[in-house]
Amino acid sequence: METDETDRVLPFQLQFDKPVASQVKIAEWNPEKDLLAMVTEDSKILLHRFNWQRLWTISPGRNITSLCWRPDGKAIAVGLEDGTISLHDVENGKLLRSLKSHTVAVVCLNWEEEGQLIRDDSKNSSSYEDRTSRFFPPAPRVPRMPGVVSGDTGFMDDSEDSYRELSNSSYQRFNILCSGDKDGSICFSIFGIFPIGKINIHKFSVPTPFIDKQTPRQILNSSIYKVSLSKDLCRLIVMCSGELNENRESRESQMVRQGMHSLVLDTSIFLKRKSELHQLAQQASNIEDLTEVIRASLSVMCKQWSDAMHTFHEKFDYLSTLIIDHALDSTPQEEFLSLLGGARTSSAVHQFLVNSLGEVGVKRVLKVICGTAKELQRIVLDHLQPAAEIIGFRMGELRGLSRWRARYHGIGLDEMLINNATEKCGMILVQIERFMRVLSSVEQQFSNFFNWLLKCIKLLMQEPSDQLLPYNSELVVIFLKFLYDQDPVKQLLEVDHDIEVDLETMQRVKELVQFGGFSDCEYLQRTLAKEFQQMEDSFKEAFLMPFTTISRKMLCEDLLPLFPLPSSSSSASASASVSMAIPMSISYYEDASQAVSSHQTCQHSFVDYVCFQVPDEPFSDIANCIGVIRGFTHDLSSSKNGYTSLEAVLLYVPAGYECVDLSLYKDSQIVLLLNGASASSESSGDACMMIVQASELPFISISRFTDLNLWNLYQLKDSTVQLQMENEKVRNIPHSVIAPLAVSASRGVACVFAARKRALVYILEEDEEEVPDTE
């Protein structure tokens, strides 16, 4: 019995007390594994196991402002101060993808997945299968720049499959990454890689069904603090600060109040159209990946060919100098043509071929140019052309979907734009074919020219030349006239170059258009690089329509003013700095009263909880309190019929303590991290961690009939609950603690950070099954 009691995991058992090198400002547990990601004050990301073994450390080089795990725990999203969101592999921290969705700091991230795999849920929707693998080998990878080691400049390792796994979402649960910035914008991306919508809180006109339908309300100068998408993806709760503006018919009655507000946004389009959005995101994100392969291929090819041509001109430009030194009135081409015609060799050409260039120099330049040409052909065949072919197939798939207007017109898949993008895919394949013909011809011309030069050098040096390869005199003439000082290969790899096409050829192209299949008559005048640019622009235009359509379908359903902010915080940046210091948490729990949910009406069986610390300054009579609200999104249709399920309660923090951070935990529990009011960074401190069962609290219904003059928390000041140290689950901590509090609902553990750079890991509850793996 004693042994069993000793081995039993007790609630609030301290597992580890470890030092940390730098103070931690953000911490998040992996939802599937015993891993803790932490962001230090110097913006480094550390990943630790439960036993505090460090797996990796990365530094993005920019200030990190938010952090979030993908629902399956295989990737982590990092929000940066410049508005970038970067995705990193959990295994090694490698950068998988970067999205520039915002223009200012990304202050919050939320990654939520729908509860079921994409499948045939009704007669009106079908399961999704990516058919590309049936007809094509695995998609090509980005080619490496010559001399670049794997891992440099963002190029992927050939053995690195994490990026491909991130993009291959055929068998993933449908998930959405939400991100909010300090200027009031919220962005949405499917699977964290395909942007599908963007909204701005400033532009929302908040409905006021109980006050005056003619009185619009808007939140001005807002800053997002926290976003949380519901489990069924139908609602988004937004915690934001800003000026709540009510414009009545009379300007004298215009009212502006600065405060913290909670919004509910209707995002049911994600659930209603999840199958269509899944297919669109899968195809579009893979097209974007393959577009990067083409872009990198063109860049590598241009660099390699430019280097080869530099080697050629570096050697042969010396002939022009010799011609000038010998006072000859001719060009290098004329001198070579004279040599080809059998005339007497000039002293400049003789000195150049025999003394300067020589047989070794000719062979070296020939090897460089012909080797580069073969490398360019390899890049085209292994990377560029397969990528273009798969893009064409995927655009063909989207073209077919765009014609199913009943399903795909509603998400903005425009048939005309998709048709235009599909034609551009065909044109890029035509341009690739032309490039290969030009490259092959140029390689042959160079090889023939150098074979002739070797023959000339042997004759000038009076050496036998029987073993040399033959040459074609006519091709030598063509090379000297058209290729010696021109570069058709480089021209095809440049954007700012127009190709001259004779009128007869243009007329034939126009005649071919009459037969159908394409409508572009000017493609022969464009280079390969220019064609790629136009194809990429057509993709952006085609995929912008779904982005715009989905953005317009997300509307604000409800607004709940929580509490005013100090009047001194007149600007958005000032109010944001105030709100950032306020602990908040949002979560969704299964509602036993609605065990059955309707897929068609989005009536979900989860009830939302919003928990936050009430600032002392605006509420001196209800200071040191925690506010808890539930049912904000719960059954919003009932509120439109005149009654509400919105409930709230105020919790008084025990005397002598103040709330440092809080987190909603599983089974409607709230974990509070409290500091002794007299604790300081120099003292050892007196802190505690407390668990409160929220579902058992005496909630009071809050009326939605609210005017801007009344903040909802005033309705609760006469009915607060005093938290007692002896009545709750409490663990004393012999340190002064600071935010953040990292709680893992799936593992039942919490990590607390002490002011003296220490991390304490606790087991939150009794667990008779298994202690988290520490190996």
Side-chain angles (χ1 to χ4, degrees):
M1 290 296 293
E2 292 180 1
T3 303
D4 293 340
E5 188 67 27
T6 304
D7 295 339
R8 191 178 183 184
V9 179
L10 301 177
F12 285 133
Q13 179 179 344
L14 177 64
Q15 294 296 299
F16 297 103
D17 183 352
K18 300 288 186 178
V20 289
S22 180
Q23 203 61 264
V24 174
K25 63 179 182 178
I26 305 173
E28 293 286 344
W29 287 97
N30 187 298
E32 295 294 330
K33 302 177 182 179
D34 295 319
L35 301 173
L36 178 64
M38 296 171 288
V39 178
T40 60
E41 290 291 347
D42 54 354
S43 285
K44 291 181 180 179
I45 305 176
L46 316 177
L47 187 70
H48 284 245
R49 292 186 183 274
F50 179 78
N51 62 1
W52 215 247
Q53 175 192 358
R54 184 180 299 185
L55 298 181
W56 48 256
T57 302
I58 59 174
S59 179
R62 288 161 288 178
N63 186 30
I64 299 174
T65 51
S66 53
L67 195 72
C68 179
W69 285 98
R70 196 169 80 170
D72 61 4
K74 295 181 179 180
I76 189 168
V78 180
L80 303 176
E81 192 174 32
D82 64 353
T84 301
I85 300 174
S86 59
L87 305 182
H88 297 264
D89 183 16
V90 66
E91 296 296 332
N92 47 32
K94 280 190 176 181
L95 178 66
L96 301 176
R97 167 97 61 143
S98 289
L99 296 175
K100 192 67 167 66
S101 303
H102 301 265
T103 57
V104 294
V106 181
V107 295
C108 60
L109 292 166
N110 175 241
W111 208 333
E112 191 63 53
E113 69 178 4
E114 199 270 334
Q116 301 296 328
L117 289 170
I118 299 295
R119 65 173 188 269
D120 192 358
D121 289 328
S122 66
K123 295 181 180 179
N124 297 324
S125 63
S126 59
S127 58
Y128 170 61
E129 178 189 3
D130 187 4
R131 303 188 302 167
T132 310
S133 59
R134 293 186 184 182
F135 308 101
F136 295 92
R141 298 178 183 271
V142 172
R144 289 192 194 152
M145 191 75 73
V148 174
V149 180
S150 176
D152 295 345
T153 69
F155 287 102
M156 288 187 302
D157 231 339
D158 286 339
S159 61
E160 184 60 64
D161 295 324
S162 300
Y163 181 80
R164 202 166 302 281
E165 183 181 350
L166 178 73
S167 300
N168 183 17
S169 53
S170 299
Y171 303 102
Q172 283 188 37
R173 294 177 186 265
F174 185 72
N175 59 71
I176 302 289
L177 174 62
C178 309
S179 57
D181 65 34
K182 67 177 185 178
D183 279 355
S185 294
I186 303 174
C187 295
F188 304 85
S189 57
I190 301 176
F191 305 117
I193 58 178
F194 178 63
I196 194 58
K198 183 175 183 178
I199 58 177
N200 195 297
I201 299 299
H202 305 163
K203 299 180 181 179
F204 275 133
S205 181
V206 182
T208 54
F210 304 118
I211 305 174
D212 182 0
K213 293 184 179 180
Q214 304 300 322
T215 306
R217 296 193 291 178
Q218 290 181 311
I219 298 179
L220 306 177
N221 299 323
S222 62
S223 178
I224 306 297
Y225 178 68
K226 189 176 287 292
V227 294
S228 182
L229 198 59
S230 61
K231 301 292 184 182
D232 58 4
L233 312 181
C234 283
R235 301 287 184 271
L236 179 75
I237 294 182
V238 181
M239 304 291 285
C240 64
S241 61
E243 300 172 357
L244 187 56
N245 184 26
E246 180 174 326
N247 292 311
R248 299 181 182 273
E249 295 180 359
S250 173
R251 289 191 175 182
E252 289 75 12
S253 60
Q254 184 183 60
M255 303 175 61
V256 177
R257 294 290 298 274
Q258 177 78 27
M260 182 66 66
H261 316 281
S262 184
L263 292 165
V264 176
L265 306 184
D266 179 8
T267 58
S268 57
I269 184 68
F270 293 138
L271 180 65
K272 294 175 181 177
R273 297 291 185 177
K274 68 176 182 179
S275 179
E276 293 89 337
L277 291 172
H278 185 272
Q279 296 181 62
L280 172 62
Q282 175 69 47
Q283 299 289 5
S285 60
N286 277 276
I287 287 172
E288 184 179 342
D289 298 342
L290 294 167
T291 301
E292 288 297 323
V293 173
I294 296 179
R295 178 184 290 105
S297 299
L298 292 176
S299 176
V300 171
M301 290 162 59
C302 187
K303 175 67 166 57
Q304 289 188 338
W305 188 254
S306 296
D307 291 344
M309 288 298 98
H310 176 74
T311 301
F312 171 76
H313 291 295
E314 190 177 35
K315 289 291 186 181
F316 281 79
D317 286 350
Y318 184 60
L319 177 57
S320 299
T321 304
L322 291 176
I323 291 174
I324 297 174
D325 292 343
H326 288 78
L328 299 176
D329 186 17
S330 60
T331 64
Q333 294 95 315
E334 292 171 346
E335 290 292 331
F336 282 130
L337 285 173
S338 177
L339 178 62
L340 180 66
R344 187 178 66 85
T345 305
S346 67
S347 56
V349 172
H350 188 282
Q351 181 180 347
F352 174 72
L353 292 179
V354 176
N355 300 330
S356 176
L357 185 61
E359 182 181 354
V360 175
V362 171
K363 290 182 178 180
R364 182 181 296 115
V365 177
L366 175 62
K367 181 179 180 181
V368 169
I369 293 179
C370 292
T372 301
K374 287 182 171 55
E375 178 63 17
L376 263 59
Q377 291 172 348
R378 186 195 66 79
I379 293 175
V380 171
L381 295 176
D382 293 348
H383 300 274
L384 197 152
Q385 185 169 335
E389 290 172 349
I390 298 176
I391 287 176
F393 177 82
R394 290 191 177 277
M395 286 306 304
E397 294 274 274
L398 288 177
R399 186 181 185 183
L401 296 178
S402 68
R403 295 180 176 180
W404 194 350
R405 294 180 60 85
R407 286 189 61 184
Y408 291 91
H409 183 72
I411 64 169
L413 203 60
D414 186 89
E415 183 179 355
M416 184 179 299
L417 295 177
I418 295 296
N419 286 342
N420 178 56
T422 305
E423 181 176 328
K424 293 299 181 183
C425 294
M427 290 304 175
I428 198 73
L429 289 170
V430 173
Q431 295 284 8
I432 291 172
E433 180 66 25
R434 178 169 70 168
F435 176 82
M436 290 292 282
R437 291 201 308 269
V438 171
L439 180 62
S440 178
S441 176
V442 169
E443 179 189 7
Q444 181 184 3
Q445 296 276 7
F446 267 103
S447 180
N448 182 77
F449 174 68
F450 283 120
N451 289 336
W452 171 70
L453 284 183
L454 287 172
K455 185 86 171 180
C456 293
I457 293 174
K458 289 288 187 181
L459 292 175
L460 292 174
M461 299 179 66
Q462 299 181 352
E463 295 179 358
S465 58
D466 299 338
Q467 302 299 323
L468 296 178
L469 294 174
Y471 65 90
N472 187 314
S473 299
E474 293 181 0
L475 292 181
V476 173
V477 174
I478 294 174
F479 176 87
L480 292 173
K481 285 186 175 181
F482 301 105
L483 292 179
Y484 186 85
D485 57 356
Q486 298 181 43
D487 192 350
V489 174
K490 183 180 180 182
Q491 291 173 357
L492 290 176
L493 295 174
E494 292 178 341
V495 175
D496 300 327
H497 185 82
D498 294 327
I499 299 176
E500 295 183 4
V501 182
D502 59 89
L503 295 177
E504 183 181 355
T505 302
M506 290 297 297
Q507 184 60 36
R508 290 180 181 178
V509 172
K510 292 179 180 179
E511 292 173 359
L512 289 174
V513 170
Q514 304 302 321
F515 291 94
F518 71 101
S519 59
D520 188 356
C521 300
E522 300 178 352
Y523 70 93
L524 288 177
Q525 297 175 302
R526 294 192 294 269
T527 64
L528 173 60
K530 184 68 175 179
E531 197 69 59
F532 169 71
Q533 185 184 68
Q534 291 203 2
M535 183 187 74
E536 191 175 24
D537 291 341
S538 70
F539 291 163
K540 291 179 180 178
E541 186 180 11
F543 297 143
L544 180 62
M545 186 61 71
F547 181 90
T548 305
T549 302
I550 299 300
S551 300
R552 290 173 178 171
K553 290 181 180 291
M554 289 184 285
L555 304 174
C556 182
E557 285 192 332
D558 203 358
L559 165 70
L560 184 66
L562 297 178
F563 49 82
L565 290 175
S567 58
S568 59
S569 304
S570 57
S571 65
S573 59
S575 63
S577 63
V578 174
S579 62
M580 288 302 169
I582 302 174
M584 290 186 179
S585 183
I586 306 172
S587 190
Y588 298 84
Y589 302 105
E590 188 172 354
D591 185 10
S593 63
Q594 287 191 350
V596 179
S597 63
S598 172
H599 179 77
Q600 299 296 328
T601 61
C602 293
Q603 291 180 352
H604 31 91
S605 58
F606 290 89
V607 59
D608 57 278
Y609 278 75
V610 180
C611 188
F612 55 90
Q613 182 186 19
V614 181
D616 293 345
E617 186 172 342
F619 295 112
S620 57
D621 50 347
I622 53 173
N624 204 19
C625 280
I626 305 295
V628 185
I629 298 173
R630 71 177 178 187
F632 190 20
T633 67
H634 192 60
D635 195 14
L636 276 170
S637 60
S638 64
S639 66
K640 296 178 182 179
N641 295 327
Y643 59 92
T644 177
S645 59
L646 181 63
E647 298 176 314
V649 66
L650 281 179
L651 308 178
Y652 269 123
V653 174
Y657 287 91
E658 56 185 14
C659 182
V660 174
D661 204 356
L662 54 84
S663 177
L664 284 159
Y665 184 50
K666 60 184 178 181
D667 300 328
S668 306
Q669 294 178 329
I670 307 173
V671 180
L672 302 177
L673 183 62
L674 308 178
N675 235 357
S678 60
S680 63
S681 58
E682 290 78 13
S683 63
S684 59
D686 176 23
C688 70
M689 186 164 47
M690 175 184 295
I691 293 183
V692 179
Q693 186 64 47
S695 58
E696 298 177 358
L697 295 173
F699 282 90
I700 297 176
S701 295
I702 294 184
S703 172
R704 293 178 187 260
F705 295 80
T706 301
D707 200 318
L708 284 176
N709 286 321
L710 298 175
W711 294 90
N712 297 80
L713 293 182
Y714 278 122
Q715 304 177 38
L716 306 173
K717 63 180 181 179
D718 296 329
S719 54
T720 58
V721 176
Q722 180 69 52
L723 296 177
Q724 302 291 339
M725 299 292 287
E726 58 273 11
N727 295 338
E728 312 295 342
K729 293 182 179 179
V730 178
R731 166 72 189 223
N732 291 323
I733 302 174
H735 298 280
S736 175
V737 295
I738 58 174
L741 168 65
V743 177
S744 172
S746 60
R747 301 300 175 184
V749 295
C751 184
V752 176
F753 296 94
R756 291 187 168 185
K757 295 183 180 180
R758 301 198 66 83
L760 298 86
V761 179
Y762 292 92
I763 297 293
L764 288 183
E765 59 189 45
E766 184 174 332
D767 185 0
E768 298 181 355
E769 295 180 359
E770 185 178 356
V771 181
D773 186 14
T774 59
E775 296 182 359

